[in-house]
Amino acid sequence: MDVANKSTVSEFVLLGLSNSWELQIFFFMVFSLFYVATMVGNSLIVITVIVDSHLHSPMYFLLTNLSIIDMSLASFATPKMITDYLTGHKTISFNGCITQIFFLHLFTGTEIILLMAMSFDRYIAICKPLRYASIISPRVCVALVVASWIVGIMHSMSQVIFALTLPFCGPNKVDSFFCDLPVVFQLACVDTYVLGLFMISTSGIIALSCFILLFNSYVIVLVTIKHHSRGSSKALSTCTAHFIVVFLFFGPCIFIYMWPLSSFLVDKILSVFYTIFTPILNPAIYTLRNQEVKTAMKKLKNRFLNVNKATPSQ
């Protein structure tokens, strides 16, 4: 039986973060600045790693892919929210809503696996340094990135298939600034409590399990660093930056999907955090705490300035 054909709702209304005009203007300015900074910051990391041959290593290859995913995660809903504040048009088509769910879970699922790959890279580099080159080869790095996207696609497809089986025949107001299962499935015209709670909580359990694995790996790495004082400062700085990113990304995801029926206000704040704030924190944390990246960016800046100075004289 094609349950999706029973849906009579052709569009949803995104209620956003607030009905206050003053707050909407404030959110428009703040989120516009954050979005531009996210795109510029992550693009700068990608360009720097590609241009500087000293950064052609597995860690920076994975970091580049993380920046690409962060730009994608920041773009699946934020531009629409920003334009909605200007136009006052806060509706989204049914297909557009399903598309947002797909890309949200694609990018978050991919980022989870990629963060685990980055943790594995640091674990081998610090705990098994003599075998690092043989274990973390370019082929393995590519395989890890491809695997992260495959897992992301499989996860997002499962969420979309579940959403498409739900009939929507009346309520169409989504109490958020983008479509996601915890808010959308409650608008369905059937009792979805048990099945919906299971499907959504499963995402939370997966995120929690991955976080525990990552936490344990970083504990092992930090213990190893403690017993090897030589070069420990750089390794500690790198691992601390990695763990901060992991905590900031996983924290909101775990809360939203482990307790899908919690306060919508709390969910809105956490949704803003991992879709808008975290993508800009990643480049800030990695560049501010990584001397190699900062040095490479300075070289890139000087090269750009020298080219500009040389151009008029030609």
Side-chain angles (χ1 to χ4, degrees):
M1 182 174 64
D2 190 0
V3 185
N5 290 337
K6 292 186 177 181
S7 297
T8 58
V9 173
S10 60
E11 65 179 18
F12 293 97
V13 179
L14 301 174
L15 298 182
L17 299 174
S18 174
N19 292 324
S20 169
W21 174 248
E22 291 80 7
L23 280 177
Q24 290 185 29
I25 294 297
F26 172 76
F27 290 145
F28 168 76
M29 293 188 294
V30 171
F31 295 154
S32 296
L33 288 173
F34 268 85
Y35 181 69
V36 171
T38 297
M39 302 306 289
V40 171
N42 283 289
S43 297
L44 189 57
I45 287 180
V46 174
I47 294 170
T48 301
V49 173
I50 292 174
V51 171
D52 196 312
S53 59
H54 295 93
L55 300 181
H56 291 176
S57 65
M59 184 179 78
Y60 294 111
F61 174 74
L62 296 174
L63 176 60
T64 300
N65 282 275
L66 178 65
S67 292
I68 293 172
I69 294 174
D70 280 335
M71 286 190 286
S72 303
L73 184 59
S75 300
F76 89 97
T78 305
K80 174 173 172 52
M81 178 182 63
I82 292 171
T83 55
D84 285 351
Y85 284 137
L86 281 179
T87 62
H89 182 75
K90 296 186 177 182
T91 59
I92 184 171
S93 67
F94 180 85
N95 290 335
C97 185
I98 296 298
T99 302
Q100 280 195 343
I101 293 175
F102 173 80
F103 282 114
L104 170 63
H105 288 273
L106 169 63
F107 298 138
T108 52
T110 303
E111 182 157 343
I112 285 175
I113 304 303
L114 188 60
L115 288 172
M116 295 185 71
M118 294 176 73
S119 169
F120 177 68
D121 170 74
R122 290 301 85 201
Y123 170 79
I124 299 298
I126 294 170
C127 299
K128 301 179 184 296
L130 298 178
R131 299 181 58 193
Y132 180 78
S134 61
I135 297 176
I136 309 296
S137 63
R139 183 177 296 180
V140 170
C141 286
V142 173
L144 289 172
V145 172
V146 171
S148 67
W149 281 101
I150 291 175
V151 172
I153 291 172
M154 292 175 62
H155 170 67
S156 61
M157 286 302 298
S158 68
Q159 304 299 302
V160 166
I161 290 172
F162 171 66
L164 287 174
T165 59
L166 298 175
F168 299 96
C169 54
N172 68 335
K173 293 183 179 180
V174 178
D175 194 10
S176 183
F177 63 95
F178 64 87
C179 290
D180 194 11
L181 277 184
V183 288
V184 171
F185 94 101
Q186 297 188 45
L187 302 178
C189 299
V190 294
D191 185 8
T192 59
Y193 182 84
V194 176
L195 180 60
L197 199 63
F198 171 76
M199 280 292 298
I200 298 169
S201 296
T202 299
S203 298
I205 293 170
I206 293 172
L208 179 61
S209 301
C210 292
F211 177 76
I212 292 172
L213 287 174
L214 285 169
F215 180 79
N216 289 335
S217 70
Y218 281 118
V219 168
I220 295 172
V221 168
L222 291 174
V223 170
T224 303
I225 292 173
K226 184 179 178 181
H227 289 88
H228 296 79
S229 58
R230 182 177 298 178
S232 62
S233 178
K234 178 183 175 181
L236 181 62
S237 176
T238 302
C239 289
T240 302
H242 281 220
F243 186 73
I244 290 173
V245 170
V246 166
F247 180 78
L248 292 176
F249 178 78
F250 276 89
C253 290
I254 291 171
F255 185 89
I256 290 174
Y257 294 104
M258 285 292 287
W259 295 277
L261 301 180
S262 60
S263 168
F264 279 124
L265 177 60
V266 176
D267 285 354
K268 283 182 181 180
I269 295 172
L270 294 176
S271 296
V272 168
F273 199 84
Y274 81 86
T275 58
I276 297 176
F277 291 161
T278 302
I280 193 178
L281 287 175
N282 287 354
I285 290 171
Y286 280 111
T287 54
L288 289 176
R289 299 185 63 90
N290 192 307
Q291 188 60 44
E292 289 181 327
V293 175
K294 287 192 288 186
T295 302
M297 285 185 174
K298 287 179 182 178
K299 289 181 181 178
L300 183 64
K301 176 185 173 183
N302 293 334
R303 186 185 303 180
F304 178 76
L305 292 176
N306 290 335
V307 169
N308 285 345
K309 288 179 181 178
T311 302
S313 62
Q314 293 178 350

